[in-house]
C-alpha cells in the first residue's frame, strides 16, 4: 500500500474514532438533561462511527498496510443548548467529509483504484449523515427556544432524521 494513502487511512481511523467518542459524549449529555430520544439517537450514531472505524482497520490490514490504533481527542461534553449540540454534530460530519475527500483525491493522484472503490461507501454515508444533521438543525432553528417544541423534537427525532433523505 502506498505510504501516503496508508497514512491518510490511519488518520481516517482516528477521525471516525473521535466522532464515535464525540457522539457518545453528546448522548450522555442528552441523557443527563432528560432528552432520552436525542440520547438514543447519539448512542446509535456513536455505534455507527465505531463501525466506520473498524471497517477501515480491517481494510488496511487486508491490504497488508500497518494499522496504528490512535490516541483520541477529549470530546466536548457540555453544550449550551440543543442548537449548540446539533451544530457540533453538523460540523463534525462536515469535517469527516472533508477528510474523506482528501483520501479520494490522493487515491486518484496515486492511481489506487482499489482504495478509491472502497472509499465510495464512505462518500455515500457522509452524504446521508450530513443531510440528516442539516435537517435536524433546520428543525431546531424553526423551533427556537420553545420548550414544547424541544419536547416534540426529542420524541420524534428518528422520524425527523429519517425524513432527511426524502427531501
Ligand atoms: Fe463516519 Fe459520519 O463519519
Amino acid at each position: 500500500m502506498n505510504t501516503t494513502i496508508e497514512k491518510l487511512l490511519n488518520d481516517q481511523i482516528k477521525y471516525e474514532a473521535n466522532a464515535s467518542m464525540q457522539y457518545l459524549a453528546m448522548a450522555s449529555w442528552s441523557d443527563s438533561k432528560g432528552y432520552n430520544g436525542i440520547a438514543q439517537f447519539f448512542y446509535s450514531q456513536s455505534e455507527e462511527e465505531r463501525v466506520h472505524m473498524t471497517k477501515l482497520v480491517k481494510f488496511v490490514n487486508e491490504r497488508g498496510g500497518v494499522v496504528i490504533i490512535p490516541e483520541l481527542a477529549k470530546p466536548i461534553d457540555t453544550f449550551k443548548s440543543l442548537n449548540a449540540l446539533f451544530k457540533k454534530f453538523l460540523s463534525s460530519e462536515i469535517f469527516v467529509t472533508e477528510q474523506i475527500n482528501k483520501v479520494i483525491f490522493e487515491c486518484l493522484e496515486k492511481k489506487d483504484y482499489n482504495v478509491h472503490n472502497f472509499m465510495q461507501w464512505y462518500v455515500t454515508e457522509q452524504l446521508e449523515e450530513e443531510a440528516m444533521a442539516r435537517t435536524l438543525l433546520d428543525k431546531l432553528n424553526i423551533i427556537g427556544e420553545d420548550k414544547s417544541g424541544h419536547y416534540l423534537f426529542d420524541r420524534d427525532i428518528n422520524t425527523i432524521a429519517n425524513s432527511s433523505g426524502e427531501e
Side-chain angles (χ1 to χ4, degrees):
M1 179 180 281
N2 174 278
T3 52
T4 312
I5 291 178
E6 183 184 65
K7 162 87 172 65
L8 285 171
L9 291 178
N10 269 299
D11 287 346
Q12 199 61 40
I13 287 168
K14 181 170 69 188
Y15 301 141
E16 303 288 350
N18 279 335
S20 177
M21 295 309 279
Q22 181 58 65
Y23 297 160
L24 186 60
M26 288 155 79
S28 177
W29 179 85
S30 307
D31 230 351
S32 75
K33 300 291 177 199
Y35 293 118
N36 298 339
I38 297 171
Q40 288 312 314
F41 174 80
F42 280 116
Y43 282 129
S44 145
Q45 288 300 311
S46 174
E47 293 293 332
E48 277 195 29
E49 299 303 348
R50 197 184 143 74
V51 170
H52 298 177
M53 174 198 69
T54 309
K55 201 174 159 78
L56 277 156
V57 169
K58 289 181 178 172
F59 178 75
V60 174
N61 276 320
E62 272 166 22
R63 284 284 312 266
V66 177
V67 171
I68 299 157
I69 301 300
E71 197 172 343
L72 302 183
K74 167 106 180 64
I76 296 170
D77 55 9
T78 49
F79 301 89
K80 278 200 298 240
S81 60
L82 286 185
N83 200 283
L85 182 76
F86 281 86
K87 269 191 183 154
K88 178 64 190 164
F89 181 37
L90 179 58
S91 70
S92 167
E93 288 301 327
I94 289 173
F95 173 78
V96 170
T97 301
E98 287 169 355
Q99 305 317 307
I100 285 168
N101 289 342
K102 280 187 197 166
V103 182
I104 301 280
F105 177 84
E106 204 57 36
C107 286
L108 292 173
E109 284 280 295
K110 300 286 189 299
K111 299 189 177 8
D112 191 333
Y113 301 117
N114 191 309
V115 177
H116 183 269
N117 186 45
F118 170 77
M119 290 306 292
Q120 293 310 306
W121 182 87
Y122 287 84
V123 171
T124 308
E125 192 72 10
Q126 280 314 114
L127 264 175
E128 287 171 9
E129 290 191 339
E130 261 196 60
M132 182 196 287
R134 276 183 223 283
T135 299
L136 291 167
L137 193 54
D138 285 348
K139 288 284 184 279
L140 276 176
N141 284 332
I142 293 169
I143 293 164
E145 296 305 312
D146 178 39
K147 285 228 178 346
S148 55
H150 288 167
Y151 173 85
L152 294 174
F153 180 88
D154 181 59
R155 192 192 66 181
D156 297 339
I157 182 166
N158 284 322
T159 313
I160 301 167
N162 291 332
S163 74
S164 70
E166 296 161 10
E167 285 163 18

